[in-house]
Amino acid sequence: MKVVLQRVSKASVTINQKKVADIKQGILVLLGIVNEDTQEDINWLIRKIINLRIFNDEKGVMNLSLKDINGEIIVVSQFTLQASTKKGNRPSYIKAAKPDVAIPLYENFVTSLQKEIITKVQTGEFGADMKVELLNDGPVTIIIDSKNKD
């Protein structure tokens, strides 16, 4: 499981010209899933995401977590995170999990995240054509792969 985390001042997701998610200060999570992912990957990533100290304290030092600031969060499924670009110029998405595997893992990720944080977890829609808007704060963008825990 791979995530791209973006610290945001605000972010939203629109589907068919209808805003389905809208947050202020927090994290936009882009989530890419492979067939080998498990609940263990979900649990590890969630602990990382909610405890990662990427928000500024009163001295302007990144020393606070999402939990510390009671920040908001949007999770967006994004199979393109699992793209392979080793050969040629057209990305291959063969590593990305198919919907029958990815949807339950995506739903478990969201449900598990909701159990861990107080604020409402908002989402896009799995497989939909989404328009994601964000104001990246910093900019702070971090990539985490649950297969690279060591």
Side-chain angles (χ1 to χ4, degrees):
M1 209 167 265
K2 188 181 295 184
V3 294
V4 173
L5 307 178
Q6 294 184 312
R7 184 179 79 178
V8 298
S9 298
K10 63 181 179 176
S12 65
V13 177
T14 303
I15 301 171
N16 295 326
Q17 299 167 348
K18 180 182 177 200
K19 196 171 280 191
V20 298
D22 191 19
I23 66 169
K24 296 200 184 327
Q25 185 181 32
I27 298 176
L28 171 67
V29 177
L30 305 175
L31 175 67
I33 299 169
V34 295
N35 287 322
E36 298 77 28
D37 289 328
T38 66
Q39 188 66 41
E40 183 180 324
D41 294 290
I42 291 170
N43 296 341
W44 184 83
L45 275 173
I46 288 173
R47 281 192 305 276
K48 275 288 190 197
I49 292 167
I50 64 176
N51 292 303
L52 204 60
R53 297 181 342 186
I54 60 172
F55 294 94
N56 293 348
D57 62 16
E58 65 281 347
K59 295 179 182 175
V61 177
M62 285 196 289
N63 203 27
L64 301 174
S65 70
L66 185 70
K67 284 176 104 171
D68 295 330
I69 67 157
N70 200 26
E72 300 178 283
I73 193 161
I74 295 178
V75 179
V76 175
S77 62
Q78 189 169 353
F79 75 94
T80 59
L81 290 181
Q82 300 298 349
S84 173
T85 57
K86 289 182 181 180
K87 290 175 55 180
N89 295 316
R90 184 176 185 186
S92 168
Y93 304 107
I94 198 160
K95 291 181 181 179
K98 302 289 185 253
D100 62 318
V101 171
I103 291 172
L105 286 169
Y106 170 76
E107 290 172 350
N108 285 347
F109 183 92
V110 171
T111 301
S112 297
L113 187 56
Q114 288 169 329
K115 290 177 183 174
E116 292 295 323
I117 62 175
I118 296 168
T119 58
K120 183 179 178 188
V121 177
Q122 298 184 46
T123 65
E125 181 183 317
F126 189 93
D129 180 18
M130 296 175 270
K131 307 304 179 207
V132 179
E133 291 186 68
L134 67 125
L135 181 56
N136 191 318
D137 182 18
V140 174
T141 302
I142 297 173
I143 300 168
I144 305 173
D145 189 332
S146 66
K147 304 302 187 232
N148 294 329
K149 294 178 201 159
D150 300 332

